[in-house]
Amino acid sequence: MNNIDKDRLDVFLKSIKRAEDQVLSDIRLEALEDDVPIIRDEMADFMRFLMRVIKPKRILEVGCAVGYSGIVMLKEAQEAHLTTIENYEKRIPVAKENFVRAEVSDRVTLLEGDAGEFLGRLEGEFDFIFMDAAKGQYINWLPDVLRLLGHGGVLVTDNVLQEGEILESRYAVARRDRTIHARMREYLRALSDTQGLTTSVVSVGDGAALSIKE
């Protein structure tokens, strides 16, 4: 499919998209105005679909930002509790306010601080884990993430295609991006090579890796 066709397809798909919840729509617009990275529109729809199919009870999110993706999940998974981690201090109060606005704050545990430290201390099993934080740290967090993922649980990792740069050799990538490029490739190989884990990469949004623990 060439770029023109893809652009036309994107326009068509948006034209048949169900209108988003007003609170979520407001939060999305505010995030975009403030240059806060949140999941793309098509990724949000994909997450809604996954919530309806999987029906998780315990969700772990690594990378809360302003709470948009967490609210997307909780709006669809009505019986779920979300544990979400955020390290950027300026975004934490905004996320808390947004959880209240969306009337889901009673189903949220927001952990404030370094994800690596929290992942090492968390116990129990989660039905669904969503990774959308510091991309260069995914490979370091993976052992704890897999420890926390219950059998039959699903791990979704966002932005794995890095705007297509994942396809390039390290020498074709800007020097400042080479470390994260190498680590994302290492992370995807680790997902593929881990015994007892089945992974598929889909091109929704900026690419998402879906892994299920057998």
Side-chain angles (χ1 to χ4, degrees):
M1 183 179 296
N2 59 44
N3 290 333
I4 295 176
D5 288 340
K6 185 179 186 306
D7 289 342
R8 292 176 62 196
L9 177 60
D10 288 343
V11 170
F12 170 72
L13 292 177
K14 287 180 180 179
S15 74
I16 62 172
K17 181 181 180 300
R18 184 180 65 185
E20 189 169 53
D21 174 279
Q22 186 60 53
V23 173
L24 274 170
S25 179
D26 291 344
I27 293 171
R28 169 179 283 280
L29 289 175
E30 290 162 9
L32 294 176
E33 288 173 359
D34 294 335
D35 292 322
V36 176
I38 59 173
I39 58 174
R40 300 185 185 191
D41 205 26
E42 56 268 39
M43 186 63 185
D45 283 342
F46 187 54
M47 294 290 281
R48 292 185 178 98
F49 175 80
L50 291 176
M51 291 298 102
R52 290 295 185 99
V53 171
I54 299 168
K55 297 179 173 61
K57 298 295 192 296
R58 296 191 71 209
I59 302 172
L60 173 62
E61 178 184 48
V62 185
C64 174
V66 293
Y68 178 81
S69 52
I71 296 168
V72 166
M73 291 187 282
L74 290 176
K75 287 286 188 179
E76 299 299 328
Q78 296 286 332
E79 298 180 12
H81 184 91
L82 172 70
T83 298
T84 184
I85 307 172
E86 181 56 49
N87 193 36
Y88 190 32
E89 292 182 1
K90 290 184 178 180
R91 291 176 185 161
I92 291 170
V94 180
K96 290 180 177 178
E97 179 185 346
N98 287 339
F99 288 135
V100 172
R101 290 168 66 186
E103 301 181 341
V104 297
S105 59
D106 59 327
R107 294 192 285 137
V108 177
T109 299
L110 176 54
L111 304 177
E112 305 174 24
D114 182 75
E117 294 181 7
F118 280 118
L119 290 172
R121 297 202 303 263
L122 282 172
E123 299 293 339
E125 294 185 343
F126 292 87
D127 311 307
F128 189 91
I129 299 179
F130 182 49
M131 294 267 279
D132 189 21
K135 309 301 183 282
Q137 295 300 317
Y138 287 176
I139 188 64
N140 298 324
W141 296 339
L142 187 58
D144 279 317
V145 166
L146 294 181
R147 173 180 61 82
L148 293 166
L149 187 64
H151 291 288
V154 174
L155 164 65
V156 173
T157 309
D158 198 16
N159 303 121
V160 298
L161 297 183
Q162 300 181 314
E163 304 290 351
E165 283 197 346
I166 197 70
L167 304 176
E168 305 293 345
S169 76
R170 69 183 301 272
Y171 300 105
V173 176
R175 186 181 297 273
R176 67 178 182 277
D177 297 327
R178 287 178 184 175
T179 297
I180 191 171
H181 174 268
R183 289 184 177 180
M184 183 59 78
R185 282 192 163 201
E186 183 182 1
Y187 176 74
L188 290 175
R189 283 195 297 269
L191 290 180
S192 179
D193 294 342
T194 298
Q195 192 165 7
L197 199 68
T198 299
T199 297
S200 176
V201 176
V202 296
S203 59
V204 61
D206 188 28
L210 280 73
S211 307
I212 185 167
K213 189 174 181 179
E214 299 171 1

